[in-house]
Amino acid sequence: DAKTTQPTSMDCAEGRAANLPCNHSTISGNEYVYWYRQIHSQGPQYIIHGLKNNETNEMASLIITEDRKSSTLILPHATLRDTAVYYCIVRVGNNNAGNMLTFGGGTRLMVKP
Amino acid sequence: GAGVSQSPRYKVAKRGQDVALRCDPISGHVSLFWYQQALGQGPEFLTYFQNEAQLDKSGLPSDRFFAERPEGSVSTLKIQRTQQEDSAVYLCASSLLPGRSPFFGQGTRLTVV
């Protein structure tokens, strides 16, 4: 799976949008971009994933650049409970394979009041 | 009980002791993963099951680590002759089908003293 690069840490004011960037310049055509987050003392939680189109769900939006070499996860109105480590992962989207998620170091997002 | 359940939540073992960690995946989920997460690091893949078949064990760090899923549901990760470097959080994840986004349990924190 392609390697991803994320900032080590970021701060965000409560109520503001949190924009978390991720570089994946070596992504292949059949690899999806996944985002998970891990709140302290919990297991990772799925947020969203996409291939090339922008995606939105109740948790977040995912913006993928046209060349697919980078993406941004957007939390539109960050709350204190969004403080967590956010992992950007690229993964082959083959429904016949049990491809594991390869986690990097992630971005530690601190939402401040 | 809709999520992935792991037990025990915490385990303290004396060096050299054998331990067994249990994972109850979401009912009906075909794929099951085990990960190891050292303090301050992202989770690292250990092994993968599709039903009862262990299809990938490339991440197991040594032959002291053994995992099984005999009936294709509950899985057990066993560590023999534990060492201090085995201290970590052990995470289990399951997905409905291969390739789908996995859901994680809360993990078992193992401390070897």
Side-chain angles (χ1 to χ4, degrees):
Chain A
D1 289 345
K3 186 175 178 180
T4 61
T5 305
Q6 300 178 251
T8 304
S9 63
M10 290 181 63
D11 290 344
C12 178
E14 188 179 18
R16 297 284 192 144
N19 297 290
L20 293 95
C22 180
N23 287 323
H24 32 78
S25 58
T26 59
I27 193 169
S28 300
N30 63 346
E31 287 182 315
Y32 286 69
V33 180
Y34 283 77
W35 283 83
Y36 276 74
R37 73 179 182 183
Q38 189 171 24
I39 295 170
H40 184 62
S41 296
Q42 296 185 21
Q45 176 191 21
Y46 168 80
I47 302 173
I48 199 167
H49 76 281
L51 182 62
K52 53 184 178 181
N53 296 323
N54 298 337
E55 301 289 343
T56 296
N57 63 20
E58 66 278 4
M59 290 183 69
S61 295
L62 173 60
I63 309 297
I64 303 174
T65 57
E66 195 166 338
D67 63 7
R68 303 211 318 124
K69 292 186 177 183
S70 65
S71 60
T72 301
L73 179 75
I74 301 172
L75 308 178
H77 306 287
T79 71
L80 299 179
R81 287 177 293 181
D82 292 322
T83 292
V85 178
Y86 287 77
Y87 295 99
C88 169
I89 302 161
V90 292
R91 180 199 197 206
V92 175
N94 179 347
N95 285 336
N96 293 320
N99 295 303
M100 71 284 199
L101 299 167
T102 302
F103 291 82
T107 295
R108 185 172 299 276
L109 176 69
M110 180 76 71
V111 180
K112 298 184 174 181
Chain B
V4 177
S5 178
Q6 293 186 245
S7 60
R9 280 280 279 138
Y10 304 92
K11 175 70 178 178
V12 178
K14 292 185 178 180
R15 193 173 55 179
Q17 185 180 352
D18 297 350
V19 298
L21 312 179
R22 177 186 170 108
C23 173
D24 284 81
I26 295 171
S27 179
H29 277 201
V30 168
S31 296
L32 186 145
F33 302 83
W34 283 98
Y35 284 80
Q36 180 190 57
Q37 186 171 23
L39 189 64
Q41 307 290 319
E44 293 195 359
F45 170 77
L46 293 177
T47 187
Y48 166 69
F49 289 86
Q50 187 170 315
N51 295 308
E52 69 279 2
Q54 189 174 18
L55 298 187
D56 188 344
K57 51 183 180 179
S58 61
L60 295 176
S62 77
D63 59 8
R64 295 185 297 103
F65 286 72
F66 172 76
E68 59 184 5
R69 194 186 184 198
E71 296 178 359
S73 55
V74 172
S75 178
T76 304
L77 176 67
K78 298 179 178 178
I79 309 173
Q80 297 176 322
R81 304 180 304 280
T82 52
Q83 304 294 316
Q84 279 193 312
E85 61 263 28
D86 300 334
S87 295
V89 174
Y90 290 85
L91 294 161
C92 177
S94 71
S95 66
L96 180 61
L97 293 170
R100 295 283 185 92
S101 306
F103 295 87
F104 284 79
Q106 289 196 297
T108 294
R109 180 177 296 279
L110 173 65
T111 303
V112 181
V113 297

